């Protein structure tokens, strides 16, 4: 089951640079784990913003929430999700 | 270059059924052409709405507009697009 | 899997009364079928509006969309859904 | 009388972890009391957010406010409530 | 139990004048009935708009909905209600 | 002349408790003065929020502003006012 | 007492030209009467829109509503008003 | 003096095709006149919408309004303008 | 050329009182200068808010920005401006 | 490929003046580099706000994001971009 997540980050401009670098590094590691596990199937940057669109393939809302709240940057994220239904034309649903 | 389009349809409840069926059939044919041409790479239904998210892979804004305005249902559509940048984690950008 | 749907109806004040009565009767029949099937588990009226909140228990977004678009009043409805995750305190999830 | 409450929490990312753990523990205890008293009849998590939907069964707006403002996390909550009317189809109102 | 209702009317500028006059006359009669019954305790005009604020004193959401949907102008109304709690300072709650 | 004011308070969760208690006590005193003077004619709590609706009877916008800005909690308030016109049905305007 | 009104007109593009011309002519006459009476003290066009800002000097909300609802174009207008208080710096309030 | 105008067109899907073609042809002629006169200095399409951004160089708000309201499609347009100030970095202001 | 500015101030409730008094005094001095220079032609308070409407008569957007950004309270202001066109009925444009 | 960016700056009023001056100086240098490189083709100030509109000519969303996130003031910026399509009337596209 796929969900589209729009994720905005609101990191204070004055966060300690070392801490920020550490959190971002942890975020990249966790993101790669989710890609490798087939949970994060697409991710795009929204230009000019500290924001991404992520496409997740999960069992349902509970797994989705577990995954999103496991992200190291989660405390600074504002996330809006959309449950996605399949469409007859979709090439990946054939 | 990928664009995410949120497409809402506002079809009058009292449109002539034969006309509506004809337009929807033409829409499906045009949609399949775009899939076959590799322009429409993903499409999802937004549950409970006459709305979809479409992911388009095009040369740029001009091709995107040409494609969207070629849709038979275009006169009844309200479309919001987001230009997407690549993200280091994205499995499809590797 | 539960979804919360806020459903607003926008029925023209001048719809033919016989037609409106017929559509509303069909809506009530279909609603009862969904209740009997355990798909529509709660429904509340939003006072002062032609609107309801419905709580649906379905397999996922596709069944939800199939159910909502089967409603006789669907062409006049504007529906916003929220995917719901389980909460440790919820008495019905125990 | 039932009310639907959408509760968003806005906890600072840098709140002292011990304090946060204590407040969350107190929140769980208070929530369980409300469940046991039959006041909080359903509660769902909104995936990807520090947010829940709660369904309360109370005497009226005053009891509702007393309950919500008794929550340990109340100072960090933004709450929107909707008064709910009964619907002829509702299985729980029969 | 008091509820505040903001009621906006959206009457088509080209409604037949006789019909409009008849509906408005019926609305005034129904409004007076609600005042006499102690259900509509205050009503104010919002200047420059076809809109009012109404303060209703009712048993709960169901009676409120029954009252509002009984208004002759209801099919043309958009209504937002707010459930009101009592306040220690309120002169009318003493 | 009556004005409806929706008053939201945004008090920091970590305000010093003694200071908060003192400000709230002063607020209650000032509120009672306004009630006794016939300026604050109704006040309701909005459940689940640090917010009230207040109905003021004043000479005009200048007196209204003087009153609202005299509130001890004014620096933490966000206030939206609506000028109210009289309505032929209003029981208090007769 | 001054009020600022933002007035948007929503005239159907296909209104009969003769009728539109007649209504606009009547609107201009009524507007001039309000200017001559000192009620409409300033009026500005909002460029690119069928919209104006009007500054009214009236006894209060009731006279304001009587004036605005007397405008020939009132059935096609959407009006938002702001009650204005005097400011110590204002050259016209001296 | 430059103004940025976001222009959305809301043309009914069922407008008579001959009339629509005639209006669009007139719109193109008028647009070219504005370009030739140096009034319309840039114009871009917003992909997926019947909308454009236009950059106008005019004497002020009055000329801007005269130009925009002279457009054959003006009755179907919704226009938001932004007055633009010069910026020290702007290559065209040097 | 006239511009309407809606100016909201967002001053922290805990700003040092001496500093606040000094900034407000400087603001009043600067405001009087603008009045004396004929640049600030009207100013009104928005009741219940730390907000004003100001009517400025300037050469264009650049002078307007220079004036607004010269205000001592500018760092705490959120300003929305509207360029105003002349209207045939305006008494001050005659 | 052109993109329109609306850039709002949210700089704390109490930022250290030396630091602010240094960041602004660096911003001007970087802006000039982008102008010289032909990437920033137009830039306008939005009067009364710490905001600009920028018109960028870049290869696509990735170069746009690289440029915007290279700005010294980027951590304090909120940026909304619009992908622009070419229009037949545009003088610069001929």
């Amino acid at each position: 089951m796929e969900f589209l997540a729009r994720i905005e980050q609101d990191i204070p401009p004055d966060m300690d640079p070392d801490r920020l670098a550490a959190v971002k590094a942890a975020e990249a590691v966790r993101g790669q784990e989710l890609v490798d596990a087939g949970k994060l199937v697409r991710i795009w940057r929204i230009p000019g913003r500290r924001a991404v669109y992520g496409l997740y393939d999960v069992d349902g809302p509970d797994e989705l929430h577990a995954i999103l709240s496991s992200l190291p940057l989660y405390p600074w994220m504002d996330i809006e999700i959309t449950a996605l239904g399949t469409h007859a034309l979709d090439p990946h649903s054939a």
Side-chain angles (χ1 to χ4, degrees), chain A residues 15-27:
Chain A
M15 186 188 278
D16 174 72
D18 289 346
R19 182 183 179 198
L20 180 58
V23 176
K24 282 191 169 176
E27 182 78 16

Side-chain angles (χ1 to χ4, degrees), chain A residues 2 86-94:
Chain A
E2 288 181 310
T86 56
H87 191 287
L89 282 176
D90 186 49
H92 287 238
S93 304

Side-chain angles (χ1 to χ4, degrees), chain A residues 12-93:
Chain A
D14 286 320
M15 186 188 278
D16 174 72
D18 289 346
R19 182 183 179 198
L20 180 58
V23 176
K24 282 191 169 176
E27 182 78 16
V29 169
R30 182 68 183 126
Q32 190 61 51
E33 289 173 0
L34 293 170
V35 167
D36 294 343
K39 299 301 180 185
L40 177 57
V41 292
R42 293 299 309 274
I43 180 169
W44 303 269
R45 189 167 297 286
I46 302 177
R49 302 186 71 78
R50 279 127 292 179
V52 298
Y53 270 111
L55 178 67
Y56 292 86
D57 187 354
V58 293
D59 289 341
D62 287 337
E63 190 185 18
L64 178 66
H65 185 71
I67 282 173
L68 293 171
S69 60
S70 77
L71 297 174
L73 281 168
Y74 182 69
W76 294 274
M77 286 174 165
D78 185 83
I79 304 176
E80 295 278 353
I81 73 157
T82 303
L84 299 170
T86 56
H87 191 287
L89 282 176
D90 186 49
H92 287 238
S93 304

